[in-house]
């Protein structure tokens, strides 16, 4: 399986970079995983609704340019479907079983995802109702993808 994570912004925090690197190393036994960063749009702290939409649209265009046409796209969105780790694992396994070997996860910037990215997605998932910084979400996502492969193969992993 080829998994691509398209995400907005550059990761600067050393502890997050190290954690993600560790999970990417572990995942290499199960899948080819790549992370594609697209630049975030510079914007002032306080934005009008129109300005927020403009920022999301610009970031969205950058995201869409990185998604292969034949990819199954899973957007991480606050309003997405919440799943257990076991459900997430089963869904990834089904994608692989039924010929969807290219999966792209999308993590938006601090304002979220544009309407165009949400429309391009095949599904939207949420990792809970808590708000997490998009940089932390990268670490959470790679850990959950790793956990999913362990679950599918019946290999031990902490609960």
């Amino acid at each position: 399986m080829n998994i691509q994570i398209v995400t907005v912004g550059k990761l600067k925090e050393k502890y997050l970079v190290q954690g993600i690197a560790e999970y990417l190393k572990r995942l290499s036994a199960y899948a080819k995983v790549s992370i594609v960063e697209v630049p975030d749009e510079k914007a002032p702290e306080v934005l009008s609704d129109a300005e927020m939409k403009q920022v999301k649209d610009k970031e969205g265009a950058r995201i869409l340019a990185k998604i292969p046409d034949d990819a199954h796209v899973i957007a991480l969105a606050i309003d997405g479907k919440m799943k257990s780790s076991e459900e997430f694992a089963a869904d990834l396994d089904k994608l692989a079983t039924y010929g969807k070997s290219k999966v792209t996860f999308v993590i938006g910037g601090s304002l979220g995802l544009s309407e165009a990215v949400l429309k391009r997605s095949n599904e939207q998932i949420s990792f809970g109702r808590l708000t997490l910084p998009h940089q932390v979400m990268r670490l959470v996502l790679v850990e959950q993808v790793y956990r999913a492969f362990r679950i599918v193969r019946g290999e031990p992993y902490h609960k």
Side-chain angles (χ1 to χ4, degrees):
M1 180 175 262
N2 290 304
I3 297 172
Q4 173 182 260
I5 300 168
V6 179
T7 182
V8 174
K10 195 139 186 74
L11 199 57
K12 298 174 189 100
E13 295 84 356
K14 188 177 178 183
Y15 69 97
L16 291 173
V17 171
Q18 290 172 332
I20 291 166
E22 175 62 28
Y23 283 109
L24 290 176
K25 183 175 82 176
R26 293 179 188 189
L27 273 165
S28 67
Y30 304 103
K32 183 180 176 209
V33 182
S34 62
I35 297 178
V36 177
E37 295 177 335
V38 299
D40 55 343
E41 188 63 24
K42 301 297 175 225
E45 281 292 313
V46 179
L47 297 168
S48 69
D49 288 346
E51 290 169 323
M52 277 195 247
K53 182 183 180 317
Q54 192 174 38
V55 168
K56 289 197 290 188
D57 288 347
K58 286 180 181 177
E59 290 175 349
R62 292 178 190 137
I63 290 168
L64 291 170
K66 300 295 183 185
I67 298 174
D69 291 338
D70 58 346
H72 180 88
V73 179
I74 302 171
L76 275 60
I78 288 173
D79 294 329
K81 183 175 188 220
M82 285 194 253
K83 301 178 180 189
S84 68
S85 293
E86 292 78 13
E87 290 168 327
F88 181 65
D91 288 352
L92 274 184
D93 191 42
K94 277 184 209 153
L95 288 173
T97 302
Y98 295 107
K100 296 286 185 184
S101 62
K102 288 184 184 174
V103 176
T104 297
F105 289 94
V106 180
I107 302 172
S110 58
L111 299 176
L113 292 167
S114 71
E115 203 53 45
V117 172
L118 293 172
K119 281 190 176 118
R120 169 60 182 93
S121 69
N122 298 92
E123 61 181 302
Q124 298 168 28
I125 63 171
S126 172
F127 284 3
R129 292 179 32 209
L130 294 172
T131 301
L132 295 173
H134 57 281
Q135 300 92 333
V136 172
M137 201 57 236
R138 272 194 230 188
L139 177 60
V140 173
L141 176 61
V142 294
E143 188 280 332
Q144 284 297 305
V145 170
Y146 173 69
R147 183 182 295 266
F149 280 106
R150 301 286 292 191
I151 289 168
V152 166
R153 286 171 173 73
E155 296 171 353
Y157 196 82
H158 353 286
K159 297 192 184 251

